[in-house]
Amino acid sequence: MLIVQKYGGTSMGDCERIRNVAQRVAKAKAQGNNLVVVVSAMSGETDRLISFAQSFTPLPNTKEMDMLLSSGERITAALLAIALESLGIKAISLSGRGAGIITDTFHTKARIAYIDTTKIFQLLNEGYVVVVAGFQGISTDGEVTTLGRGGSDLSAVALAGALNATCCEIYSDVDGIYTTDPRLVKQAKKLDKISYDEMLELASMGAKVLLNRSVELAKKLNVKLLCASSFTQDKGTLITKEEDIMEKPIVSGVALDKNQARVSLSDVQDRPGIAADIFGLLADNNINVDMIVQTIGRDGRTDIDFTIPKTEVSLTQQVLEGFKNDFGSIEYDNNIAKVSIVGVGMKSHTGVASTAFKALALDNINIMMISTSEIKISMIINAEFAQKAVEKLHSVYKLEQ
Ligand code: ASP
Ligand code: MG
C-alpha cells in the first residue's frame, strides 16, 4: 500500500518527538508499505519566523515571507530523514519544489495548481521513504510559495490525491473526531468513521484538527483521511465518503459555536431587492452571514434576523447605516450561541428536529432562530444555556453509546 502520513507541529516539536515519528514511520515501512511523509514545522516555529519579520515592518514583502516561512518545514523534513537513516531506513527529504508541487503565484496564500509526481514515484521505486516539507510549493514563475497557515495538511491531501494513495493519515496531538467537544461533555465519544460532509458541518469542533479547506480537497480528490494522534497507538477517526459508512447514525455529533452575534432588523420595507441590497453590501464588505430568517410581510413591512461573526459587529453597524431609512429599528445581540446537530442519517428519518426542540423545551431553553439543511439542524439560543443544550442534545440522541 502507498500511504501518505502527515505529522503536525507538536508531533515534530523537538528531536525527541521527531525520533518518535521516525519510529512510527519505520513501523509502517516494516509492514510493507510505501511511504510519503509530509511534515509541519516545529510547533511555534512559523509564528517565531513571522515575529522576526514583523520586527522590521508590519507588512513584510510576501515573496520574502515565503522564503522565510518555508524554511521551518525544510528543517523538520531534513531532520526526519536523518532520524530515519539513523534507524537504518533509506530516506530522503524534498522541499516543495523537489516534490513537484506547482502552485499559482499568490505568495503566502498560494493554491496548488498540479503536482508532478515523477520524482516521488522514482524515489519510491528505489525503496526510499520520501519526506516532503509541507506547506510549500513552487510557483509557475519558479519562486518558493507557501499555502497559507495550517497548509501542510493541504500538501498531504493533495499529494495523496496525486499519488493515488490508499489513505492520508493526519497525525497531531488530537486523537480523532468526537461526538462533541470532550471538554464540554465528559461522555463525548470518539467516532470510528465520519463522512466528509458531516466533518465539514462540524467544522467548529473539528477546526483545531483539520482545516475545512483540507476536508474539501480530500472530498474532491476522494482521498480517505485518518485523523489520529502520534502520541498514542489508538486508531483515530476515518473521514470518508458517505457510501463507505455502512451504519449511518441519525445524529453523529453536536457542535457549538459561540462566535456568532445576532442582528435583528424590524419593520424592514417589504420590497423586491431589499434582501439583495443588504446582503449584497455585507458580502462586498467580506462579512460572512450565516443564518438568515425573514418573517412573512404584513402591511408592507417585514422582520429580518441574521447572524454574523462577533468580530464583524462594528463593520456591520457601519454598513447598515446606509439602509437606515429602509427599516424601523435594529438590535444587536452578542450573547448568543449556535448549537447544531449533524448527521447523514437525518436525510432518511423523520422527527429528528422535533426531538431536539422538545429536549431544549424541557429545559426551558428558548430557541431564537432555527435553520436546517439536509444533514444539519442549527438553533440559536442564549449563550448562558449553551453548555446545558449541548449536554442535553448529546444525551437525547444517545451519542454516549
Ligand atoms: N507551519 C505552518 C503553520 O504553522 C503550516 C502548518 O503547520 O500546517 O501554519
Ligand atoms: Mg500545523
Side-chain angles (χ1 to χ4, degrees):
M1 282 202 297
L2 170 57
I3 297 173
V4 173
Q5 295 191 331
K6 184 256 166 179
Y7 291 92
T10 343
S11 304
M12 299 296 288
D14 57 34
C15 293
E16 219 23 71
R17 289 186 173 176
I18 293 175
R19 198 189 310 276
N20 166 59
V21 168
Q23 278 155 356
R24 297 181 73 105
V25 173
K27 193 168 154 203
K29 177 77 179 162
Q31 288 163 352
N33 298 303
N34 274 322
L35 286 162
V36 173
V37 184
V38 178
V39 293
S40 278
M42 292 184 186
S43 57
E45 176 68 2
T46 308
D47 289 328
R48 194 173 73 105
L49 295 171
I50 292 174
S51 73
F52 288 159
Q54 287 183 339
S55 71
F56 300 104
T57 163
L59 283 178
N61 179 304
T62 55
K63 189 157 104 52
E64 297 306 336
M65 285 309 280
D66 280 347
M67 269 306 272
L68 177 69
L69 298 188
S70 59
S71 69
E73 271 73 7
R74 288 212 301 275
I75 293 172
T76 45
L79 288 174
L80 180 58
I82 292 168
L84 283 164
E85 292 213 302
S86 78
L87 298 176
I89 310 255
K90 215 170 142 183
I92 186 168
S93 69
L94 300 174
S95 65
R97 182 199 300 264
I101 300 175
I102 317 298
T103 73
D104 62 20
T105 56
F106 290 94
H107 285 287
T108 72
K109 302 192 206 17
R111 290 195 169 255
I112 298 174
Y114 64 95
I115 300 181
D116 177 354
T117 54
T118 326
K119 174 106 171 261
I120 294 186
F121 273 126
Q122 189 189 324
L123 291 166
L124 288 172
N125 280 334
E126 290 169 24
Y128 282 99
V129 168
V130 180
V131 183
V132 178
F135 173 57
Q136 59 191 279
I138 184 82
S139 75
T140 43
D141 290 347
E143 314 268 12
V144 175
T145 48
T146 62
L147 308 176
R149 296 308 304 271
S152 48
D153 288 348
L154 280 174
S155 313
V157 173
L159 276 167
L163 298 167
N164 205 5
T166 311
C167 187
C168 180
E169 303 175 351
I170 307 274
Y171 291 100
S172 67
D173 51 358
V174 182
D175 62 356
I177 312 300
Y178 282 76
T179 50
T180 194
D181 187 339
R183 286 168 307 183
L184 282 179
V185 181
K186 277 198 311 293
Q187 294 85 346
K189 257 194 68 185
K190 192 165 64 183
L191 295 158
D192 288 335
K193 284 186 182 180
I194 186 168
S195 69
Y196 298 118
D197 291 327
E198 288 169 310
M199 183 65 199
L200 289 166
E201 294 286 20
L202 289 171
S204 61
M205 279 164 46
K208 279 149 259 134
V209 192
L210 264 181
L211 292 182
N212 263 7
R213 245 190 343 143
S214 313
V215 181
E216 274 158 12
L217 186 66
K219 181 183 172 188
K220 190 170 132 199
L221 301 177
N222 199 9
V223 167
K224 287 192 171 79
L225 286 176
L226 180 79
C227 273
S229 164
S230 69
F231 298 88
T232 67
Q233 299 297 331
D234 295 349
K235 230 168 60 234
T237 302
L238 187 71
I239 306 168
T240 185
K241 308 203 275 281
E242 197 183 314
E243 300 85 83
D244 292 345
I245 300 173
M246 296 282 282
E247 241 180 273
K248 298 183 182 42
I250 298 173
V251 173
S252 298
V254 182
L256 172 65
D257 180 357
K258 286 178 123 176
N259 299 317
Q260 302 269 321
R262 182 169 63 108
V263 185
S264 309
L265 304 176
S266 22
D267 293 325
V268 183
Q269 271 191 38
D270 199 5
R271 60 161 170 89
I274 180 80
D277 290 347
I278 293 177
F279 294 108
L281 202 60
L282 291 170
D284 290 345
N285 281 278
N286 263 320
I287 298 168
N288 203 343
V289 175
D290 184 26
M291 281 162 107
I292 302 176
V293 174
Q294 179 176 350
T295 54
I296 298 211
R298 36 169 168 71
D299 310 327
R301 295 277 165 174
T302 183
D303 297 329
I304 302 179
D305 280 30
F306 57 95
T307 62
I308 50 168
K310 267 184 189 154
T311 48
E312 305 294 344
V313 169
S314 55
L315 183 58
T316 304
Q317 274 169 329
Q318 273 176 44
V319 169
L320 291 178
E321 253 318 276
F323 292 96
K324 258 203 328 252
N325 300 328
D326 289 306
F327 53 78
S329 67
I330 181 166
E331 210 185 275
Y332 293 89
D333 186 354
N334 262 315
N335 197 30
I336 60 159
K338 180 171 95 168
V339 284
S340 307
I341 51 177
V342 173
V344 282
M346 269 182 214
K347 289 186 209 173
S348 49
H349 282 81
T350 53
V352 184
S354 63
T355 303
F357 304 154
K358 261 184 236 152
L360 297 192
L362 277 174
D363 267 351
N364 245 321
I365 299 173
N366 187 40
I367 305 172
M368 297 184 236
M369 291 167 87
I370 300 169
S371 81
T372 60
S373 78
E374 246 194 331
I375 64 163
K376 175 161 101 164
I377 300 162
S378 295
M379 292 152 280
I380 299 288
I381 59 171
N382 190 310
E384 201 185 318
F385 303 120
Q387 163 94 28
K388 206 169 168 193
V390 173
E391 277 169 9
K392 195 74 194 218
L393 293 168
H394 195 268
S395 94
V396 84
Y397 294 106
K398 303 190 168 49
L399 296 182
E400 71 285 352
Q401 288 177 9

